[in-house]
Amino acid sequence: MSEAAGCLAANDWICGEYVRSRAQELTDATVQHVWITAVSVLIGLAVAFPLALLVRTRPRFAGPVLGLTTVLYTVPSLAMFSLLLPFFGLSAALVVTGLVLYSLTILVRNILAGLAAVPEEAREAAYGMGYGRGRLLWEVELPLALPAVMAGVRMATVSTIALTTVGALVDHGGLGTLITSGLKSFFKAQVLTASVLCVLLAVAADLLLLGVQRLLTPWTRIPARAGGAG
C-alpha cells in the first residue's frame, strides 16, 4: 500500500489521496453549493429591492416589512425548512426559498441605508436638471447607494454560503452534504476537506464581490488617491 493511499486507511484528517480519488464528488458538491448560493442571493436581491422601495416611498410599511424580515432571520434553519417542506418537498427549491427568506433582512436594510445616505444636494441638483423620480432613482440614487448595497450583497452571500450547508438535511447542501455524511461515518478527510472548501468558497466570493464593487464605484477610490498625492 502506498503512503498516499495509507492516509485513507489510517483515516487521517489531511489526505491527498482522498482529494485525488474523490475529485469529481468534491467538484459536484462545490458546483451545487455555488449554484444554490448564487440563485438564492439573486432571488433575494430581486425580492428585497421592491420591498426597500416600498418602505422608502410609503414609510407606514417600514414596521411590518422590517419586522417580518427580522423575524424570518431569527427562525432556526431546521424549523424554517420544516415549515416550507409541505410546499416544496425534499428539493433544492426548499433550500433556495429558505435561504432567500434569510437574506432579506440584510439586503432590505442595506438597500435602505444606501438610499438614505444619498446627499440631498445630489437629489436637488437632479430635480433642478429636470429629472423625474424614476430617472433620479436609476441614474443618481442607486449609483450613489451602490457601496452600501454591495456591502449587503457581500454579507448576504457569505451568510448564504454558510447556511447552504444546512441543506444537507434534505440532501441539497452542497459541501454541507459531504460534511454531514463525513461526520456520521467519522471520515476525517472528507469532513476537513469539505469544510476547508466551504471556507475558501466564502473568502473567494467575498473577494470577487469586493472587486465588482470597486469596478462599479470607482469614485469611492478618488479621495484616497487625492489624499495620497498630497
Side-chain angles (χ1 to χ4, degrees):
M1 180 182 297
S2 68
E3 183 178 346
C7 65
L8 280 175
N11 195 25
D12 292 335
W13 285 103
I14 300 175
C15 183
E17 179 62 20
Y18 167 75
V19 177
R20 189 197 66 77
S21 61
R22 304 290 184 88
Q24 189 59 53
E25 183 179 46
L26 290 168
T27 300
D28 292 343
T30 302
V31 169
Q32 185 186 68
H33 209 112
V34 171
W35 178 82
I36 290 176
T37 298
V39 170
S40 300
V41 174
L42 288 174
I43 295 177
L45 195 57
V47 174
F49 186 68
L51 285 177
L53 292 184
L54 175 65
V55 169
R56 183 168 176 268
T57 56
R58 292 178 170 76
R60 66 178 181 275
F61 289 108
V65 171
L66 296 178
L68 178 60
T69 56
T70 300
V71 168
L72 289 172
Y73 194 77
T74 63
V75 176
S77 53
L78 181 59
M80 177 71 80
F81 288 164
S82 297
L83 291 172
L84 295 173
L85 186 59
F87 303 98
F88 299 99
L90 299 175
S91 65
L94 168 67
V95 179
V96 169
T97 302
L99 295 175
V100 168
L101 295 177
Y102 280 129
S103 71
L104 291 181
T105 185
I106 298 173
L107 294 173
V108 171
R109 290 177 184 275
N110 275 70
I111 293 171
L112 286 173
L115 292 174
V118 175
E120 192 58 37
E121 314 85 81
R123 293 192 181 95
E124 291 175 359
Y127 280 129
M129 295 172 64
Y131 280 43
R133 293 186 64 178
R135 190 179 176 193
L136 172 68
L137 173 66
W138 289 104
E139 296 186 18
V140 178
E141 292 181 316
L142 277 181
L144 292 176
L146 264 180
V149 174
M150 287 301 299
V153 172
R154 287 170 58 197
M155 286 190 290
T157 300
V158 172
S159 175
T160 301
I161 288 173
L163 286 170
T164 296
T165 58
V166 184
L169 294 169
V170 294
D171 201 29
H172 288 87
L175 293 166
T177 303
L178 294 181
I179 295 172
T180 301
S181 63
L183 286 171
K184 288 179 180 178
S185 59
F186 200 56
F187 191 175
K188 295 178 182 178
Q190 180 166 305
V191 173
L192 182 62
T193 303
S195 298
V196 169
L197 284 174
C198 194
V199 173
L200 292 176
L201 193 59
V203 173
D206 189 54
L207 291 176
L208 175 63
L209 290 172
L210 178 60
V212 172
Q213 178 180 333
R214 289 174 65 83
L215 285 174
L216 294 178
T217 58
W219 62 87
T220 61
R221 305 194 298 277
I222 294 175
R225 284 205 295 265

